[in-house]
Structures are given as C-alpha cells and as structure tokens.
Amino acid sequence: MEPIRETMKRVVNAPSFSERYDAMKKEVLEHPGVLKFLKQHEEEIDGPTVEKGMGKLYEYIDQSHDCNKCPNLGGCINHLKGFEPNLVLERGNIGISYTKCRLKTAEDNKRHASSLIHSMYMPKEVMAARIENFELDDRRLPAFRAVDEFLENSTGPDSLPEKGLYLYGKFGTGKSYLLSAVANELAEINVKTVLVFVPEFMREMKQAIGDHTLQEKIEYVKKADVLMLDDIGAEAMSSWTRDEVLGTILHYRMAERLPTFMSSNFSYSELAHHLTYTQRGEKEDLKAARIMERIETLTVPVKLEGENRRNK
C-alpha cells in the first residue's frame, strides 16, 4: 500500500489539482477584501504567511460580505448565520473573526424595539403601524404635524415632552393607527410605551379585584414611560372605574409629568359629558371635572378628520 504522505504528494502535484489550486489562489489574492487586508499588514505578512493562510483567505472570500450574497437573514450563507467574516492577524498567522451583519443587526433592533412596546388588547394590525405609511391629506395634516413635533422633541427616555396628544375625531379616521405608529417611532430611541385599549382594560380591572391583581396592573400602567389610552369614552363608565382607576392613573402621571396620549371619538366637552353620568345615571359634575382637569393638563387636543378608513 502506498504511504499516505506519498499519496498526498501525488495528488497535490497532479496537473488538475495544481491548476485548480492556482486558479483558487488567483481568485483569493484578487479579492478586494484580501487585497485591503494584505495592504494594511504588508510589513507583517510575507509570502510564506500568505501561503500558510490560504485556507483562511479562501474561507473569507467564499462567504457573504455586507450581506451581498444573502437574500435575507434566513437565507444567510455564512458559516455563522447572521455574522460576517473579518480577516485578522493572530500571532503572525492569518485568521478570521466574525461580527454581526447588518441584516441581523436590523432584525435584533426590530426585536428590541418590539420589546419596548407593551400592548394591552390592541389589534395586531394596528401594532404594526408606521409613520411613513400614514396616508396624508389636508384633513389629516394637523394631527400628523402635532405627532411630528412631539417626535422631533423626543431624543430618548430621559428627554420627552411633558404633554402628549389627545387625538379625537369620528370612528375609523386612524387615531389608533397613529398612536401605534408613534409608539413604534419612540421604540427606535429606546422609549418604553404601554398602549391600552380602554374599554377592555376597564372590564379587566373589575375582574382584577377578584384575583387580587388590581393594584399591580394599575401600577404598571400609570408608571409607563409613555402611556397611550386608546378609545377613551367608548367604555361604560362607572364611578369606580372613573375615579379609582382612570383618576388614579392620570393623577400620578400629571404629578410625575409623564407624557400621555389618548384617542377618543369625543372632543374634550363631549368626553366631559360622558364622564359626568355614571352607568346608574347619576350626575357627578365635580368628579368629572377633576378627571377632565387632569386630561387637559396631560394632553393637547388635536382633531383627526377624514373618511372612515375601516370601510375602505
């Protein structure tokens, strides 16, 4: 039997192998990334070092760089999915290190942003809203400008305007969508937002008395960096939900100067009327006025007009 060393020598010296190796070596040494690396380390790398590191150099050029060979993160061709190779010099030898690629960075950023938004009973399609997809016309422009101004003045969790917006208008004009779009924009600057669909939230608060989670849930909502109360006024308001739940949340946020957004089919005056009358028909002007004072302190009213887009 022929010794393995002799076999390897014969294979390596075979014309076909030699030609393929020369072609591979030429491809490697003409690669822009390799040329740049060798230029940067020309005083440290000699011919034998290049020859010894040819396997690593080929491994480098055979992969995707700046995601140029990958259709998406799932289709990444690299040895470590989501990471791209970088040539390095390690103790005089050529090696490879891996760093996160731009597709994985974008995906991780997206996941991080999603983790900063806590939705309570909001539809999934609304939660995917983006500012750039908000359809503009003359009637919707004032609301868009108000939102844009808030975002322009928001630079991070510790630098937010004290007042949020009270978006009001007819059913289906895009108020919930715009709230969610703002939440997604704020997540890009690491601001945590809690979005609450008020009618369902109030129903859960009544159930929370029985399972002893009422205080915990109120604490969570009232302390959010940014709180968005969607469809306020659509709930069947009792004295208890108005004063002990809504009132408690708004009082804390007013005292702590935490930005709060709201959406409603009612204007301020119409909401005041709604809050005045309880489910039992009791008229409580003073208590309603207290809630409205907090709402007016926390928000700037902006009317969002337009057609009902849910019927399009």
Side-chain angles (χ1 to χ4, degrees), residues 49-63:
T49 304
V50 172
E51 198 68 35
K52 184 179 177 182
M54 193 57 63
K56 289 292 184 182
L57 292 173
Y58 186 76
E59 179 185 335
Y60 170 79
I61 74 163
D62 193 45
Q63 299 185 71

Side-chain angles (χ1 to χ4, degrees), residues 115-148:
S115 73
L116 293 174
I117 303 173
H118 188 157
S119 163
M120 301 177 75
Y121 327 109
M122 297 287 286
K124 286 185 178 179
E125 61 271 20
V126 171
M127 292 305 300
R130 304 297 306 187
I131 286 288
E132 58 266 27
N133 296 329
F134 184 72
E135 297 178 19
L136 276 178
D137 57 37
D138 290 343
R139 292 177 295 176
R140 307 181 100 203
L141 193 56
F144 182 83
R145 282 177 174 164
V147 162
D148 186 57

Side-chain angles (χ1 to χ4, degrees), residues 168-216:
Y168 70 98
K170 294 179 181 179
F171 177 84
T173 55
K175 300 181 294 295
S176 300
Y177 183 98
L178 197 51
L179 288 185
S180 180
V182 172
N184 283 314
E185 289 292 320
L186 291 173
E188 297 290 334
I189 56 171
N190 293 315
V191 175
K192 294 181 180 180
T193 301
V194 174
L195 288 100
V196 178
F197 181 60
V198 174
E200 191 60 40
F201 177 71
M202 291 304 184
R203 279 192 287 271
E204 183 172 314
M205 290 305 96
K206 294 173 184 177
Q207 297 173 0
I209 298 174
D211 61 21
H212 307 291
T213 61
L214 175 65
Q215 195 57 39
E216 175 187 342

Side-chain angles (χ1 to χ4, degrees), residues 36-103:
K36 182 178 179 181
F37 173 75
L38 295 178
K39 178 67 175 175
Q40 289 174 337
H41 299 277
E42 59 184 350
E43 295 182 1
E44 304 162 86
I45 297 177
D46 55 17
T49 304
V50 172
E51 198 68 35
K52 184 179 177 182
M54 193 57 63
K56 289 292 184 182
L57 292 173
Y58 186 76
E59 179 185 335
Y60 170 79
I61 74 163
D62 193 45
Q63 299 185 71
S64 176
H65 303 272
D66 194 31
C67 307
N68 63 344
K69 298 179 183 178
C70 305
N72 48 51
L73 185 58
C76 179
I77 67 167
N78 288 355
H79 296 186
L80 291 174
K81 184 172 288 190
F83 292 82
E84 59 184 14
N86 302 282
L87 291 171
V88 294
L89 195 61
E90 301 173 321
R91 298 178 181 177
N93 295 315
I94 295 172
I96 292 180
S97 68
Y98 286 86
T99 54
K100 194 184 297 185
C101 72
R102 61 179 174 82
L103 288 178

